[in-house]
Every structure is written in structure tokens, then in C-alpha cells.
Amino acid sequence: WEHRGGCNDVRINMFISLFILILLLSTLFSTSPFISLIGDTEKWHTALMYLNLLWLFFVLKSLEKIFLQKLIFISLFSGVCISLLAVKEFFFPSFDYADLANRALWSFGHPNYLAGHLLLLLPFTCSSLPLFSKETRWIAKQKRVPWGRIQVWVIFFLILVTLLLSKSIVALFLVFGYTVYQVSLLCIQKYRFSITWSVFWAFSLLWLILLIF
């Protein structure tokens, strides 16, 4: 959470520079550079939109730690509400979702949009789990919430179940890769387990994804 400078700043600047370079090249060499830059009535995923998000990143990076914690807590709370409503609509739909009736989407218009929103919340949830870093387990440490650990696990599995019900292939494989990375890091660095456990978790999650489809 804290601004540490040094190597971390260098890495962040490298990724930001690479991101801007890719964004400029993809805009210049697209079939319609003008639409790629500012968009039209049908296309809103434009270069200006991503530049605005980059500006938002710098704004959030400059905020105080306590404010960021509150902001993430509110985001996770909204994610829980969204997940509950999406699961409810999946099993007990209030509308006719036509071709998307077998996928969780709620009011996002498409399951991929729902999955993309929840996917951004998953790393914050994982970082608060008791299995991982003690420095980032701020939710479980709240004195006013003695059942904080249970709360974090419930949020984690609720978001994970909603992502599975969305059946978004890209989101599911991103979850797969992120989970493999986190479990491998946990097994090797913290508990010094063999890489076999990492492979076991990887294939278990992959089997679950394939089972959904």
C-alpha cells in the first residue's frame, strides 16, 4: 500500500511506458485511427478511455493509505452485492435472457462485463486471505469485525462462484493463471512445499473450469 520508491517505481514506470507505447502503436496502425482514438456511437473502448484510466491510476496512487483501504472495502462490498444478485438471477431469473440464460450476467448486459468487473476485485480479496501476506490482511485485522477471516473467505468464494457461472473463458483462464501463481508462491516461499502441490492445484482448477463447460 505504501509508496516505497526505488525498484518498485522503476518497474511501474517501465510497465506504464510499455502500455502507452502499445496503445499508441495499436491506435496508429488500426484500420481506423480516428475511431480508435475517440470512438463513435458503437465503440467506446478507445485510446482516450485507456489514457483516462491511466490518469485515474496516478490519482489513486497519490491517495492516503486509509482512504484506499476504505475505497477497496466499498468496492468489495459492492462486488458482494453484485455477485449475490447475479447468482440469484442465474438460478431464479426475473427476465428472459435469451441466448445468455445459462450464464450469469445480471444487469451488466453481457457475462464478460460482469466477469471483468469481478476479476478486478479478486486480487484484493486474495491479498486479504489469512494464507497470504500479513501486511495486506487489513480486512481480517479489523477489531470491529472479529469474524473478519470468515468474511474474507466468503467474499472470495462468492466472487469465484460468480465468475464460474459467468462462463467467461478469458476471465476463467485469468483466474486459473492468477491462482496458480499465488498458490505456487505460497507453497514455495512460505510453506516450502514441493512444486507438486502447485501442479495439483493447477489441474484441480483447470478440471473445474472444464467441468463448467
Side-chain angles (χ1 to χ4, degrees):
W1 299 102
E2 297 179 357
H3 179 74
R4 298 180 180 179
C7 186
N8 287 337
D9 281 343
V10 173
R11 291 179 180 178
I12 291 175
N13 292 334
M14 288 177 58
F15 279 112
I16 291 176
S17 301
L18 182 61
F19 173 78
I20 295 176
L21 179 62
I22 294 174
L23 186 63
L24 292 176
L25 291 177
S26 61
T27 302
L28 290 174
F29 293 99
S30 66
T31 56
S32 179
F34 182 77
I35 294 179
S36 298
L37 178 63
I38 65 172
D40 57 14
T41 56
E42 297 181 357
K43 179 178 175 62
W44 294 99
H45 299 81
T46 64
L48 289 179
M49 184 198 74
Y50 288 109
L51 289 175
N52 287 331
L53 292 176
L54 184 62
W55 172 79
L56 180 61
F57 165 76
F58 285 110
V59 172
L60 294 176
K61 190 172 181 290
S62 64
L63 297 177
E64 296 182 358
K65 177 181 177 181
I66 297 178
F67 184 82
L68 279 175
Q69 290 178 348
K70 293 180 179 180
L71 182 62
I72 293 175
F73 184 84
I74 294 173
S75 299
L76 290 177
F77 178 76
S78 65
V80 170
C81 296
I82 291 171
S83 298
L84 289 173
L85 290 170
V87 172
K88 179 263 176 186
E89 285 295 313
F90 180 82
F91 292 104
F92 307 101
S94 302
F95 308 95
D96 182 13
Y97 294 103
D99 296 337
L100 300 176
N102 63 339
R103 301 174 65 182
L105 73 156
W106 190 48
S107 63
F108 278 74
H110 196 278
N112 291 340
Y113 299 150
L114 171 65
H117 176 77
L118 296 178
L119 196 63
L120 296 176
L121 301 178
L122 197 61
F124 297 109
T125 310
C126 291
S127 66
S128 302
L129 291 176
L131 290 176
F132 300 106
S133 174
K134 294 182 180 180
E135 295 179 357
T136 55
R137 263 191 281 144
W138 60 272
I139 294 180
K141 286 184 176 181
Q142 299 299 315
K143 295 181 180 179
R144 298 180 181 178
V145 189
W147 45 281
R149 292 189 177 184
I150 299 176
Q151 180 189 40
V152 172
W153 279 109
V154 170
I155 294 174
F156 171 74
F157 282 110
L158 180 60
I159 292 178
L160 188 60
V161 168
T162 309
L163 286 171
L164 291 173
L165 293 179
S166 71
K167 300 181 182 180
S168 174
I169 298 177
V170 175
L172 290 176
F173 276 98
L174 286 174
V175 171
F176 169 73
Y178 181 75
T179 304
V180 171
Y181 167 75
Q182 287 284 13
V183 173
S184 301
L185 215 60
L186 175 69
C187 293
I188 296 173
Q189 294 183 358
K190 189 172 183 179
Y191 294 106
R192 301 185 184 279
F193 290 163
S194 64
I195 198 67
T196 306
W197 281 101
S198 302
V199 176
F200 169 76
W201 278 97
F203 278 99
S204 298
L205 186 60
L206 181 60
W207 176 83
L208 183 61
I209 292 175
L210 295 176
L211 183 65
I212 294 295
F213 290 95

